[in-house]
Amino acid sequence: MTQQQVPADRYGSRARSARNRPALRWALVAVVLLVLVGVSVVGYRNLGSAPIEGKQVAFEIIDDHSVRITLEVQRDDPRRPADCVVRGRAKSGEEVGRREVLIHPANGVTRQDTVLRTSAPAGVGEVYGCTYNVPEYLSTHTRPTG
């Protein structure tokens, strides 16, 4: 059997393309590894444990325009103040009230009560979320202007 030869001036030589393959292979491996590391970092940030968590442990409907919410906040850095948003929802699911609550620095799990005024009768009071980004008006006791 004879091996068919291709014209080198038209298609290039096989020896030259064989030399480039290992470099190309290593470049592709490096790109794939970088992509995997990037996906891992993004996944950890989005799905890893949250640095601050707030949850509603109790609520009490006081009247048609107010609800008392007891919230519990757990932080990875108890020396930092936090801001939690609580809300009241009607039985239909519609939001009828929302408020920010300042959580002062404290060791361990912090439990705090707050009364939320609502525009209509609430069926539930809940914690919407917490953050370390405390707005200035909440931490300095000055009212926002503008």
Side-chain angles (χ1 to χ4, degrees):
M1 263 192 194
T2 62
Q3 188 173 5
Q4 196 173 28
Q5 295 286 350
V6 293
D9 58 341
R10 184 170 185 181
Y11 298 105
S13 74
R14 289 181 183 225
R16 189 174 50 191
S17 66
R19 272 186 274 144
N20 291 338
R21 278 194 170 155
L24 179 63
R25 194 173 299 143
W26 283 110
L28 287 175
V29 167
V31 168
V32 168
L33 286 175
L34 285 173
V35 168
L36 287 175
V37 167
V39 168
S40 298
V41 167
V42 170
Y44 178 76
R45 285 185 180 168
N46 291 335
L47 301 174
S49 62
I52 183 169
E53 287 187 52
K55 65 180 180 178
Q56 167 258 1
V57 291
F59 73 91
E60 173 190 1
I61 308 298
I62 297 172
D63 58 34
D64 283 349
H65 293 287
S66 56
V67 59
R68 176 178 289 115
I69 302 168
T70 303
L71 60 144
E72 202 172 76
V73 179
Q74 185 169 1
R75 305 173 258 203
D76 65 349
D77 186 356
R79 297 169 296 169
R80 294 176 64 186
D83 174 26
C84 291
V85 175
V86 295
R87 69 180 183 170
R89 292 191 310 154
K91 290 181 181 177
S92 65
E94 176 186 11
E95 186 175 285
V96 293
R98 177 181 285 239
R99 172 177 187 205
E100 289 180 283
V101 179
L102 176 64
I103 309 296
H104 294 284
N107 289 329
V109 175
T110 304
R111 186 174 271 204
Q112 187 166 330
D113 286 338
T114 187
V115 175
L116 174 66
R117 300 283 300 154
T118 61
S119 60
V124 66
E126 61 188 12
V127 177
Y128 185 72
C130 296
T131 181
Y132 283 123
N133 298 328
V134 179
E136 187 177 339
Y137 73 87
L138 196 59
S139 61
T140 60
H141 304 292
T142 58
R143 303 292 289 171
T145 58

